Amino acid sequence: MVIFLIEQREYAYSELESYLQTLASKYTFLQLTKQGRTIGGRPIYIVKLGNGSQNVLYTGGFHGSERLTVLSLIMFLEELCEALVRNQYYSISNARSALKGKTLYFIPCVNPDGYEIARAGVQTAGEFAERIEEILDNNDYKYWNANLNGIDINHNFNAGFEQLKELERADGIFGPSPRRYGGISPESEIETQILTSLCREISFNKVLAMHSQGEEIYWQFGENTPESGLRLAELFATASGYRVAEPSGTASYGGFKDWFIDEFARPGFTIEIGKGENPLPPSTLYAIYERLKELFLISFAI
Ligand SMILES: [Zn+2]
């Protein structure tokens, strides 16, 4: 059994950076690199594990108020590394056997500037603080989901962008906003570009985008959705007790998994972790992670 270093509390982004560096020096087979920098100057990290030909990408922290997505991916990474070192099981499989032939990539926090605003307020935005204050328009910083430009990264991908803009306008969103504004054009944001260029460079067999909350699994986008998407979503649901979400009339557009499916016709998933109101309390992290462990295993082992 692994004793987790990560505690059930809020972490400043700078602490997470140190945490990732600690993991990379403890588990020397990990490759930790900076994939780029936000306009707030914060590095966006990518961690690579394994050297197989099948690639899986895990992403979290798209939305500032969804910080447990970041922590649960780091827990997954840490526990898997420990199981590899000790030649033990991760969930229901031997970790080394499960990882054979696979390479896992983790971008635990896609939107670190938004993560910091929602965690600790506008002063974390530095020279952009005044602008963030204006965009907030007296709303609580705790529910901030966008980046420093007031653009929601998970609405900034080129997947049904025109439909997305129509829905925005219907919701009264016409410009930079704490949440759900997709910007003037897709891929306008550095955070979005980091993901799209990575996916164009590395052939991912599947991608997982962690969000919160709702205990739901989204797997579908348009006619390029592969049949294996539903099959995997059903396995994920059985493993976690989460629900396979059915597409509804107000289907979402412009998200990372939407774009990935549309562009590559391979399975992409949005996993809505936990249940309650965002931001979910850090005290629920371990319980949420326990529900996700077998889902995480399946996501790369099969
Ligand atoms: Zn989200």
Side-chain angles (χ1 to χ4, degrees), residues 16-236:
L16 287 182
E17 294 187 73
S18 313
Y19 201 90
L20 289 174
Q21 276 146 14
T22 304
L23 290 183
S25 39
K26 183 174 177 191
Y27 306 109
T28 51
F29 47 85
L30 289 178
Q31 283 178 45
L32 173 69
T33 41
K34 292 173 187 170
Q35 197 68 12
R37 229 170 244 282
T38 64
I39 56 169
R42 296 186 177 92
I44 296 173
Y45 290 91
I46 182 163
V47 188
K48 186 179 168 189
L49 167 63
N51 49 22
S53 58
Q54 287 193 48
N55 302 305
V56 185
L57 174 63
Y58 299 91
T59 56
F62 287 84
H63 291 139
S65 69
E66 302 176 3
R67 292 183 294 285
L68 294 197
T69 62
V70 182
L71 300 186
S72 60
L73 283 178
I74 292 176
M75 282 186 82
F76 168 32
L77 177 65
E78 183 180 346
E79 193 178 7
L80 181 57
C81 287
E82 193 63 24
L84 287 168
V85 167
R86 297 181 187 210
N87 197 16
Q88 288 179 346
Y89 272 51
Y90 178 83
S91 182
I92 53 169
S93 284
N94 176 275
R96 290 183 192 175
S97 315
L99 193 66
K100 210 169 180 189
K102 317 287 163 42
T103 304
L104 315 189
Y105 294 80
F106 296 81
I107 301 186
C109 191
V110 170
N111 173 21
D113 293 343
Y115 176 106
E116 282 297 84
I117 293 171
R119 183 188 66 82
V122 292
Q123 77 280 4
T124 64
E127 60 181 300
F128 299 92
E130 210 171 307
R131 184 163 141 207
I132 299 301
E133 198 86 70
E134 269 171 40
I135 297 172
L136 267 173
D137 192 22
N138 292 322
N139 287 297
D140 196 326
Y141 68 84
K142 280 193 306 209
Y143 310 113
W144 182 276
N145 272 354
N147 71 355
L148 276 186
N149 286 325
I151 293 174
D152 190 320
I153 299 307
N154 211 42
H155 289 219
N156 189 239
F157 289 86
N158 195 10
F161 200 75
E162 286 313 309
Q163 292 95 317
L164 176 78
K165 299 309 286 182
E166 268 174 42
L167 288 174
E168 273 177 19
R169 288 188 285 268
D171 279 347
I173 300 169
F174 298 97
S177 167
R179 51 211 295 132
R180 290 169 45 226
Y181 174 63
I184 290 166
S185 57
E187 292 187 39
S188 58
E189 303 309 293
I190 182 81
E191 296 88 345
T192 318
Q193 292 159 14
I194 282 175
L195 286 180
T196 54
S197 40
L198 184 72
C199 291
R200 287 176 183 126
E201 180 194 325
I202 293 164
S203 173
F204 290 109
N205 295 78
K206 55 179 105 68
V207 302
L208 275 73
M210 311 305 289
H211 288 261
S212 72
Q213 47 75 48
E215 300 187 342
E216 288 180 321
I217 299 158
Y218 291 84
W219 58 279
Q220 197 174 41
F221 183 81
E223 58 192 25
N224 284 350
T225 311
E227 276 179 29
S228 57
L230 176 59
R231 191 172 49 81
L232 272 166
E234 282 170 345
L235 287 173
F236 291 167

Side-chain angles (χ1 to χ4, degrees), residues 3-20:
I3 308 296
F4 290 109
L5 297 173
I6 204 152
E7 295 162 5
Q8 298 195 116
R9 63 171 173 87
E10 292 286 358
Y11 281 81
Y13 190 67
S14 57
E15 288 183 283
L16 287 182
E17 294 187 73
S18 313
Y19 201 90
L20 289 174

